[in-house]
Structure formats: C-alpha cells, structure tokens
Amino acid sequence: MIRYEEEILRLKKEMNAVLLAHYYQESAIQDIADLVGDSLELSRRAAATNADVIVFAGVHFMAETAKILSPQKMVLLPDREAGCSLAEGCPADEFKAFRMRNPDHVAVTYINCSAEVKALSDIICTSGNAEKIIRQIPADKSILFSPDKNLGTYLVKKTGRPMLLWNGSCVVHETFSERKIAALQIEHPGAKLIAHPECEPTLLDHAAFIGSTSALLKYVESSPEKEFIVATESGILHQMEKHCPEKIFIPAPPTANCACNECPYMKKNTLEKVYQCMKDRAPEIVLEEGLRRRAAVSINRMMEMS
Ligand code: 13P
Ligand code: SF4
C-alpha cells in the first residue's frame, strides 16, 4: 500500500516543490503542507516562493492566482474540478456587461473569481484586506463590488461606503441555520459565535467576531473565551483544535441534515490526488500570457494596497 505522506514528501524534494493548502482542505493535507493559510497569505506565499513547482491544495481560482503571480513556475491543482460557486456565478461576459452599464465605477472584485474577471477588474481583494482596500478608494469614486453580495453588504455596513453589488453568494456560507445556531447558544450559553463575512447578514448581525479564515483562527487563539460556534467551512476546525487544544469548537450547523458546511469543491482534493498530481505533473494551470498580464494588474494593485 502506498504511504501517500512519504511519497509526497519525497516528490516535494525531488521536484523542488512547495505545497500550499487552504484551511478548508482535509486535515491530512493540511498536516503535510508547507503553508496553511487564507487566500491572502497563500497568494503572498505563491508570489514569494523560490520553488520550481507550486502544488496548490485549494480551489481553481487560488491556483490560478498563484500562476498569475508566478508565471515561470509550474502550478499544479490536485483536482481540476475544484471550483467555487462564487467564481462560477460570475461569468466574464456578464461581468463585462455589468461594468459597461456602470462605466464610471471602480471595480473592486473578491479574489474568488476567474482570471478573466480579474483582468476586467480594477482592484482585487480578499476577505482579509477588503475593508482596508475600500477605505483607500477616493470618496468621490463610485464602487462596484463583485461577486459576493454577503461580503459586499458587510463591507458597506463596516465602511459606510455605498457600493453596487453583484448578486452572487457562496453555497457553503449560505447554508447555516440561524434557528439551529440559536438553539446551540441556549445549550452552550458561554459559546461565542464567530463567522466568515461570506455568511448572510442576519447571521453576521449575531456574531461576536467576523473575519477571514486566518482572522478567525487568530481570534480564537487570543480570546479569553473557551467555547466557540464557528460559522465557516468546517475544515478550519482542524487548525483551531491544534492551536487551542483546551478550547471547544462547535461547527455551525447547516439547515438540512447534511454535510453542507463542507465545501464540495475544496473537498475534491484528497491526499491521493495530491500525490497523483505531483507524480503526473498534471493537472497543470496554464494561462494565455496576455490574459495573465491583464489579471496581474488588479492583483498587484491589491498587493500594493494591503
Ligand atoms: P479566506 O480568504 O478567508 O481564506 O476565504 C476563502 C474562501 O473561499 C472562503 O469561502
Ligand atoms: Fe467558494 Fe464557498 Fe467553497 Fe469558499 S467555501 S471556495 S467561497 S464555494
């Protein structure tokens, strides 16, 4: 039987590869990754690495961002089908039409989108830097925010800045049941509700803390509280439990009796597929150079502003 961990470590050395993993990846992948991070940290690392190969255990738009920032490197994605409902809900032609209907607006776009949409945007942001970026846009400029209406609504409230929002959402973060969370809070009166800003506004209104995956992790580490209800993809609980073994983390329950608080795209990657993609050097992310350069402009603006 193949010991995937050992083989992956061997291939990593042989190929001079770096393995980057998002917090929503299965625990076994997180445990052998060189860096586990949120979208912002992973893109910074992808830009800075001197490895020859980036194995990106995350979803397609993340691996594509790595390729945009490191065109000379080979970027591998363990499962080509690992997409994102936000990226899929914002096709480039419709986004282009949205921009054309609002030609005087600055387009700030969440990193959860395709390279084509990045190339049509002015500035990219992640949940970790969106507020900082929006606050830097001159007050006389109107803003289009795409593709997550929940993150957009949260940012409008936080910054007091009106924005025209694209009507998109994440299939995972819209699944949480407020009724079940309220019941959990009665059962666990000391537990703090913490949430990712992709959750619906009515849920966010009840949260003690809102932040990106990394910000949620830092919050539970530094908080004196001992118990948390976590409203984001359940993969993040692995690092929370590792960093704070004495604390209790309860995944926020979805409305249906299913595992809908697991991202079906993120969970397409498995340890076996990480090994296989390294062995086969495929699936590889390939981008047309003109498109890559255009997409790099809005990502580099984000890097300068964050
Ligand atoms: P983070 O940038 O907070 O890691 O979020 C990425 C994501 O896809 C959330 O669903
Ligand atoms: Fe996309 Fe939602 Fe999955 Fe994040 S959790 S990758 S936003 S579908």
Side-chain angles (χ1 to χ4, degrees), residues 204-216:
L204 294 179
D205 284 345
H206 297 113
F209 181 78
I210 299 165
S212 74
T213 47
S214 283
L216 294 175

Side-chain angles (χ1 to χ4, degrees), residues 22-24 37-40 59 61-62 84 86 110-112 126-128 170 173 196 198 211-214 232-233 266:
H22 189 266
Y23 288 120
Y24 298 164
D38 69 2
S39 307
L40 183 59
V59 289
F61 76 81
M62 296 179 175
C84 167
L86 278 169
Y110 192 33
I111 197 162
N112 297 39
T126 73
S127 55
C170 159
H173 288 86
H196 195 280
E198 286 177 17
S212 74
T213 47
S214 283
T232 192
E233 211 269 3
M266 286 277 181

Side-chain angles (χ1 to χ4, degrees), residues 51-107:
D52 296 319
V53 179
I54 299 173
V55 182
F56 212 116
V59 289
H60 191 272
F61 76 81
M62 296 179 175
E64 202 172 54
T65 303
K67 185 67 184 176
I68 293 166
L69 292 169
S70 291
Q72 69 289 2
K73 302 195 192 310
M74 171 181 271
V75 178
L76 301 171
L77 177 66
D79 190 317
R80 197 183 287 287
E81 300 299 312
C84 167
S85 66
L86 278 169
E88 285 166 14
C90 188
D93 54 342
E94 290 176 30
F95 181 73
K96 191 174 180 182
F98 183 52
R99 282 222 70 175
M100 281 165 72
R101 287 196 299 277
N102 303 283
D104 53 338
H105 286 55
V106 175

Side-chain angles (χ1 to χ4, degrees), residues 26 88 95 128 133 177 225 235 247 264 267 276:
E26 63 175 42
E88 285 166 14
F95 181 73
I133 285 176
S177 160
E225 305 296 338
K247 299 190 180 182
K267 295 301 198 273
Q276 201 64 43

